[in-house]
Amino acid sequence: MTAWTGDTERISWGTAARMDRTEDRLLGREREEHEVLGRLTDPDGPRLLLVRGERGVGRTTFVRAVGDRLREQGTAVLAMECAPADGERPLLLALRLVMALEEHRPAAERRWPAGQPLARALSAVDRRDGPAMDALLRAALAQSGPVAVLVDDAQHADAASLAVLRGIHFTRLAPAVRLVVSAALHAGGAKDGRHRAPDRAGSTPGPERTPGRDGPRDAVERLAGVEGAHSVVLSRLGPEDVTAMVAQRLRATPDATLALRIHECSRGVPGAVDAMLTGWERKGEIRITDGHAFVGTHAPLPVLPDDDRFVRALDALGEPCRTVAAALSVLWPFGLAALELIAAWTGLSPGVVGDGVRDLVGAGIVDGLPGPDGTTVRGWTFRLPLMAHTVAGRLRPLERGRLSAIAVEALWADADAADAGQPVRPAVPLLDEARARTYLADRIADAGTLVDRERAVTELTAAAERVRPGTEDWATLRWLRAAAQLIEHPAARAPALQRWARAAYVAGDYRTGRAVAQRLLRNPGHTLSPSDLQAIAQLLVGVTVNELDWRTLSRLTTAQWWDELPVPALAKVSGRALALCHLARWQEAWDLLSRTEAVWNTSPRCRATPRAFRAAAARAMGRPEAYLRELALPDAPALPVGQVYALAGAMFDEMIVGYDRKAAQTLLKSRGMTVEMLPPLSRFLWYHLTGRWDEALESGRRLLATDDVQLPASDGFLLPARTAAILLARGRTSSALRVLESVPGIQGAPPSCSLTATEAEVLGTLGDLDGAERALRRGLDRAHEHGQVQGTDELWAPLAEVTAGAGRTAEALTCLERLGRIAARSGSERTRLLHLLASARVLRSDSPDIARAHLRRAVDLARARGLPWETATTLAAAAEAGAGPATLLHEAYELFGTTGATLWRFHTRTAMRQAGLTVAGRKQATAENEHLLAVLIAEGLTNRQIATVLRLSEDAVANRLSRLFTRTGMRSRTEVVAAVLTGSL
């Protein structure tokens, strides 16, 4: 495998998404399409059909799809579109209809000489003669053969033509003539802004107006009342349809977070979904990993370009609507009070501002929020959150700052009045709908120096401290950055920078974290304590590790690098020791911390992490006693909460590395923590350990795609190793190899026993036993170079089995002897289990009784440990060797099923049949076999390779493939691959 590539390039498993726009078909419209086609083909159906829906809902695509279906059924279709300028040309639409119908009608059916109706229609347009055009259109409709006329975007049509259409008795038309009119529609009722809404001072917000009441939009809507007409309203898409649409566009399954975010910001409007995906695609924010699509947790929403349909609709309103919309994007949470604040910012009167808001509502850009009585509004919000973000994003920084300052001053004024016991009118009645916990802090961060600096810093810091890690990390980083930039007093700046650096680390902004940490270490000032600088030094090492910058990390292990910094010896020793640990230079770390104990063992806060580092180094070298004592966190009562959280989380990861679930659970319980409180990587490791592999795979894909990983010290490649192991157990052999080969890293990375063990397992499954042995020996050599013992049990055990299988018993016994020494020294149950299983495999031929005894002990130990995958493989090995009843296979079969290990479940089914056991659910077993075969084909394996993986003959594989083709109707491997990738098998 290729684990390292180059010196500086980071390789991500994910690839940038590319939008697929070849299939312009909307999902979630099946019901409406069935209804429309049924009515259009029913001889007694409506002659005029209106298709309405809000901007971006997909009217045009829907109408085109209907036209295509009608053409397939043999109906002639005439299609035309109205443009925004059409409304200024009276009778234009009527003229186009007459022209299209006249051209469509065969010459033999024409009652007038060719060209006469067209000449008369042009004359009627020139004279603006509505009655004449009415007669011509009626005649054209009456004389036409079977035809469907599609008119899209009729809201742009001229009012005179719409008036002509309203006067036609469509019920009198021939049954074969149908007119389909599509037009934009915006919600009515309390949300349309037509109800009176007094402003904060009690006055009305301007004269009552109803935008567009006599315009084309209302004229189109009145067509719905024409006799013989029927209306169909296209609603927004639900969450499932949005997910399907995203999958269609990206040709990948969106993860739950991406799908939810898109639905919330687009509100199910397909045009907004496409706009979001396009914006993210252009910036490379969407990553495709293993057929799944992800977007970084902190990827900002795209700001729509000027040519976007939603932006054009706003720009078309002109002023003051655009200015009012800009202010509303920031101030909308103030409800009715926003009118007064907007007026103050713009210099416009409240009445003009109110008119602007109502025009925005009429244009379908803003919605009114209904009050308690349902007849008044209590405020306004943008119909699409994506549009609100875009309008705010188009503001210049100074504009956004001044608007935010207005909001901050208003909120502070109310807070001061409340503190003084004065009656306060509710200034922010909508904050419950506007992320009340973050609104004020966001506005302070935008206002910057335009508000009181000292109060701003206090508020921002307090807001950041209220946030639990993992919930608002990016917002916290933004607030603390703003606070650090606002501080003027030198004594307060260093602590603020420290908070900022820590927030950057937690949020995954490692570049910022490194820059701020280096700034503090090079110029620490006089306000940071030695323990503060110790934490900053460790943070610098941490962000360097998470950036996989092994070259810089190597420099951080040298005394020379640290001696150039004006920081206490405590910080230098702690940072250097942590760097040595992350590079697996365990003996050097142990020696450094042992000879400098007088430097760091001065107080609980100062000694907590160095003592943990030294214990971890001893554990890695095969001496775990000190580390096991550290699990109790003896200094926890004297440590800050954040330090306890970090220590407990790191130790939890180390326990999971060693498959020690009980110790990990005990550690969390003793600290009052849960798995859900831990970082994403820790949760991934827990899901893998406990057999929740669907959750693990979803989490692992996301982390690999977005590079959002914080690495344990003892093994920095657990994520790709465990992910590849899951894929392999599910028959995803090539995918597993791709994960291993695209591991991000560069020269100088420390050894990874987990990565090597998984690589060997993949190679062995594919029949490359020599390659597996080379990988295992290479991994052991690297571990030996670093003096590392921890984790090598995962290499010695399979090496013993490989050499035993090759008939080299002496070598296998040597491996067993090394494995036994590790088990005895470490006391690890996991290592003892591996030793028992490997011993049984090696001794099976020469000492079968001893081998079976080892397997029986292994079964008891595995059951006591209670790890699904581990237990299942142990039970299968025991049953295969006759160390227990064959019914053990039933138990293993069920456990493999809980994890979704389809490849191992297949092998267990084979063993059950060979043992004469009945496999329950024959139909399900057949389906699983076929699906596994299809997956192996989709992985690009040849019949020979499939035979190796399934442990069958090539003829057996060919027969199974033939049966698969016969049952599914597919005729080629290409079709099988497509079915697997689309999930339609």
Side-chain angles (χ1 to χ4, degrees):
M1 63 177 279
T2 307
W4 326 116
T5 59
D7 291 334
T8 58
E9 181 183 5
R10 253 193 105 166
I11 299 177
S12 173
W13 188 30
T15 57
R18 291 293 179 266
M19 287 271 283
D20 184 351
R21 298 175 174 85
T22 58
E23 186 176 2
D24 191 16
R25 179 178 65 86
L26 282 181
L27 298 169
R29 299 292 185 220
E30 293 79 8
R31 180 183 61 80
E32 293 92 340
E33 185 178 40
H34 180 75
E35 176 190 354
V36 168
L37 288 172
R39 293 184 181 278
L40 290 176
T41 55
D42 180 1
D44 298 323
R47 308 296 189 267
L48 172 62
L49 196 143
L50 293 177
V51 177
R52 298 186 292 174
E54 64 183 292
R55 183 181 300 108
V57 82
R59 289 176 295 101
T60 297
T61 301
F62 180 80
V63 169
R64 287 175 181 170
V66 168
D68 291 340
R69 291 290 301 277
L70 291 173
R71 288 189 186 94
E72 292 171 2
Q73 297 174 9
T75 300
V77 176
L78 308 178
M80 59 189 68
E81 299 178 6
C82 298
D86 288 0
E88 301 173 4
R89 303 173 66 183
L91 298 176
L92 175 62
L93 175 58
L95 172 64
R96 294 177 66 192
L97 288 170
V98 170
M99 292 172 62
L101 290 167
E102 177 67 17
E103 183 179 350
H104 162 71
R105 187 168 52 255
E109 299 179 8
R110 291 173 180 160
R111 298 182 182 177
W112 296 303
Q116 187 180 54
L118 176 57
R120 295 173 64 185
L122 288 171
S123 175
V125 170
D126 291 339
R127 301 192 314 273
R128 297 191 179 185
D129 189 344
M133 185 63 78
D134 178 84
L136 287 166
L137 183 55
R138 290 170 188 266
L141 289 167
Q143 297 179 62
S144 298
V147 65
V149 184
L150 311 183
V151 180
D152 193 22
D153 281 337
Q155 72 275 7
H156 298 314
D158 64 283
S161 293
L162 294 174
V164 169
L165 287 174
R166 286 200 305 274
I168 294 176
H169 296 286
F170 285 91
T171 54
R172 300 177 185 175
L173 296 180
V177 178
R178 304 298 171 96
L179 183 62
V180 180
V181 177
S182 157
L185 169 71
H186 301 307
K191 288 190 176 184
D192 72 1
R194 295 170 186 170
H195 302 276
R196 301 298 283 164
D199 67 5
R200 194 175 184 185
S203 61
T204 58
E208 185 70 15
R209 297 193 296 112
T210 304
R213 169 53 63 190
D214 297 318
R217 179 180 298 120
D218 297 283
V220 172
E221 292 181 15
R222 288 200 291 276
L223 280 176
V226 172
E227 185 179 358
H230 178 76
S231 292
V232 173
V233 177
L234 299 182
S235 60
R236 297 174 174 182
L237 300 180
E240 292 183 1
D241 288 327
V242 168
T243 300
M245 180 181 173
V246 175
Q248 181 190 86
R249 287 288 189 263
L250 299 178
R251 294 297 179 189
T253 302
D255 87 311
T257 302
L258 173 60
L260 177 62
R261 191 174 181 190
I262 290 177
H263 183 262
E264 288 179 344
C265 295
S266 70
R267 298 281 171 83
V269 175
V273 174
D274 269 336
M276 286 184 67
L277 292 175
T278 300
W280 273 331
E281 177 202 25
R282 288 171 177 167
K283 292 189 175 182
E285 298 284 5
I286 302 179
R287 308 292 295 181
I288 305 298
T289 298
D290 191 33
H292 290 70
F294 301 87
V295 67
T297 306
H298 309 307
L301 284 178
V303 174
L304 300 179
D306 291 346
D307 61 352
D308 180 85
R309 75 185 84 191
F310 301 104
V311 176
R312 289 200 311 267
L314 173 59
D315 289 342
L317 296 177
E319 295 296 348
C321 287
R322 285 183 297 188
T323 298
V324 171
L328 200 62
S329 70
V330 175
L331 299 175
W332 75 267
F334 284 86
L336 301 179
L339 295 179
E340 181 182 325
L341 298 177
I342 293 173
W345 180 68
T346 61
L348 301 171
S349 70
V352 172
V353 172
D355 290 342
V357 170
R358 278 189 289 273
D359 284 347
L360 291 168
V361 173
I365 295 169
V366 166
D367 277 340
L369 295 170
D373 59 4
T375 62
T376 60
V377 295
R378 57 191 176 99
W380 301 270
T381 183
F382 281 81
R383 175 166 288 200
L384 299 178
L386 177 62
M387 189 59 181
H389 172 78
T390 294
V391 174
R394 298 174 85 199
L395 287 166
R396 291 189 293 271
L398 184 58
E399 292 175 325
R400 188 182 301 109
R402 287 175 175 169
L403 276 169
S404 295
I406 289 174
V408 171
E409 295 295 353
L411 292 171
W412 280 353
D414 284 351
D416 292 342
D419 291 341
Q422 300 174 6
V424 181
R425 290 167 295 186
V428 206
L430 306 182
L431 269 184
D432 60 320
E433 302 175 30
R435 301 181 68 190
R437 294 179 297 107
T438 63
Y439 181 77
L440 177 57
D442 283 339
R443 298 289 71 74
I444 294 173
D446 281 338
T449 58
L450 298 178
V451 295
D452 181 84
R453 285 174 175 261
E454 186 173 346
R455 184 169 183 177
V457 170
T458 301
E459 296 257 14
L460 290 170
T461 305
E465 291 174 348
R466 289 193 296 268
V467 173
R468 184 170 69 84
T471 56
E472 295 286 349
D473 295 340
W474 204 250
T476 301
L477 173 62
R478 181 169 178 264
W479 302 337
L480 292 178
R481 177 177 62 237
Q485 294 170 345
L486 285 171
I487 290 175
E488 296 180 292
H489 198 284
R493 185 172 296 120
L497 290 173
Q498 182 183 12
R499 290 190 292 269
W500 180 14
R502 176 64 188 172
Y505 174 79
V506 172
D509 185 357
Y510 301 132
R511 179 175 298 179
T512 296
R514 184 193 289 202
V516 179
Q518 287 181 333
R519 174 181 172 184
L520 284 169
L521 292 174
R522 288 169 180 160
N523 185 20
H526 305 288
T527 56
L528 295 176
S529 68
S531 60
D532 289 332
L533 292 169
Q534 176 193 37
I536 295 168
Q538 293 168 179
L539 186 146
L540 174 62
V541 173
V543 296
T544 304
V545 170
N546 291 335
E547 286 190 303
L548 304 181
D549 187 352
W550 308 115
R551 178 181 294 174
T552 298
L553 188 64
S554 182
R555 289 198 290 269
L556 295 181
T557 64
T558 64
Q560 178 182 359
W561 193 93
W562 293 96
D563 287 343
E564 294 176 355
L565 301 176
V567 296
L570 173 66
K572 297 177 181 179
V573 168
S574 299
R576 185 182 171 195
L578 180 57
L580 288 167
C581 288
H582 274 292
L583 285 173
R585 292 161 60 177
W586 304 111
Q587 188 63 55
E588 293 177 70
W590 167 270
D591 292 342
L592 172 64
L593 291 168
S594 295
R595 69 173 178 266
T596 59
E597 184 169 359
V599 172
W600 52 263
N601 195 5
T602 57
S603 70
R605 185 174 180 182
C606 293
R607 68 174 173 246
T609 48
R611 192 168 66 185
F613 299 160
R614 185 168 68 172
R619 178 172 178 259
M621 293 185 292
R623 305 190 299 271
E625 297 82 6
Y627 197 85
L628 295 176
R629 290 194 297 270
E630 285 300 312
L631 292 178
L633 290 173
D635 288 327
L639 300 179
V641 174
Q643 190 173 7
V644 173
Y645 173 86
L647 281 169
M651 290 179 173
F652 175 88
D653 290 348
E654 295 299 336
M655 292 300 98
I656 300 298
V657 171
Y659 293 87
D660 195 340
R661 182 176 72 172
K662 293 178 182 176
Q665 287 177 311
T666 300
L667 173 64
L668 291 185
K669 185 176 180 180
S670 67
R671 302 270 63 87
M673 297 168 60
T674 63
V675 173
E676 288 68 30
M677 297 170 63
L678 297 174
L681 177 63
S682 301
R683 298 197 297 273
F684 162 82
L685 296 174
W686 178 255
Y687 296 151
H688 171 268
L689 183 71
T690 55
R692 295 161 60 179
W693 281 7
D694 287 339
E695 294 170 85
L697 201 53
E698 181 180 356
S699 175
R701 290 188 188 108
R702 183 184 306 111
L703 292 171
L704 284 166
T706 59
D707 295 329
D708 187 16
V709 185
Q710 296 176 354
L711 308 178
S714 64
D715 193 332
F717 299 102
L718 282 171
L719 173 62
R722 300 287 193 258
T723 301
I726 294 173
L727 292 171
L728 176 63
R730 295 183 169 190
R732 305 281 306 283
T733 52
S734 300
S735 296
L737 273 177
R738 281 195 296 272
V739 174
L740 298 174
E741 291 172 352
S742 62
V743 170
I746 57 173
Q747 292 292 342
S752 171
C753 293
S754 65
L755 203 65
T756 302
T758 303
E759 178 191 1
E761 186 182 7
V762 175
L763 293 175
T765 301
L766 291 170
D768 185 3
L769 297 179
D770 291 339
E773 182 177 348
R774 286 194 298 271
L776 292 169
R777 292 193 182 281
R778 184 173 64 246
L780 287 168
D781 288 343
R782 294 207 68 209
H784 179 72
E785 291 170 4
H786 288 77
Q788 180 167 323
V789 175
Q790 178 190 350
T792 57
D793 53 350
E794 303 288 335
L795 306 181
W796 285 117
L799 184 59
E801 297 191 18
V802 168
T803 51
R808 306 199 306 271
T809 306
E811 293 181 44
L813 289 173
T814 299
C815 295
L816 281 183
E817 190 270 333
R818 296 293 298 271
L819 189 57
R821 288 210 307 261
I822 296 172
R825 185 71 184 88
S826 67
S828 165
E829 289 183 346
R830 168 69 176 179
T831 308
R832 185 154 56 93
L833 179 63
L834 291 173
H835 183 254
L836 289 170
L837 292 171
S839 297
R841 177 71 178 85
V842 173
L843 302 175
R844 179 184 302 177
S845 299
D846 297 335
S847 305
D849 292 339
I850 296 176
R852 284 191 290 270
H854 283 181
L855 284 171
R856 285 191 288 270
R857 290 165 57 194
V859 168
D860 292 340
L861 179 56
R863 281 180 168 154
R865 286 168 55 76
L867 301 179
W869 167 255
E870 186 182 80
T871 303
T873 53
T874 303
L875 293 172
E880 181 186 0
T887 52
L888 290 178
L889 291 171
H890 281 299
E891 188 178 348
Y893 187 66
E894 293 302 319
L895 287 172
F896 285 133
T898 63
T899 63
T902 53
L903 179 56
W904 279 83
R905 198 165 152 90
F906 174 87
H907 291 318
T908 307
R909 273 196 298 272
T910 302
M912 291 167 71
R913 292 191 182 98
Q914 292 173 349
L917 299 176
T918 301
V919 179
R922 181 177 178 181
K923 187 175 182 180
Q924 178 184 349
T926 300
E928 287 186 13
N929 286 343
E930 291 184 347
H931 187 271
L932 177 60
L933 178 61
V935 167
L936 293 171
I937 293 171
E939 289 291 297
L941 271 60
T942 64
N943 281 13
R944 176 175 294 183
Q945 291 172 317
I946 294 173
T948 299
V949 171
L950 296 182
R951 303 170 192 169
L952 299 172
S953 68
E954 287 189 56
D955 287 343
V957 170
N959 290 335
R960 287 172 180 264
L961 187 56
S962 296
R963 290 196 297 271
L964 175 64
F965 286 153
T966 299
R967 194 188 70 78
T968 62
M970 293 183 287
R971 292 170 294 181
S972 68
R973 298 170 76 97
T974 301
E975 289 185 44
V976 174
V977 172
V980 171
L981 295 179
T982 59
S984 60
L985 184 67

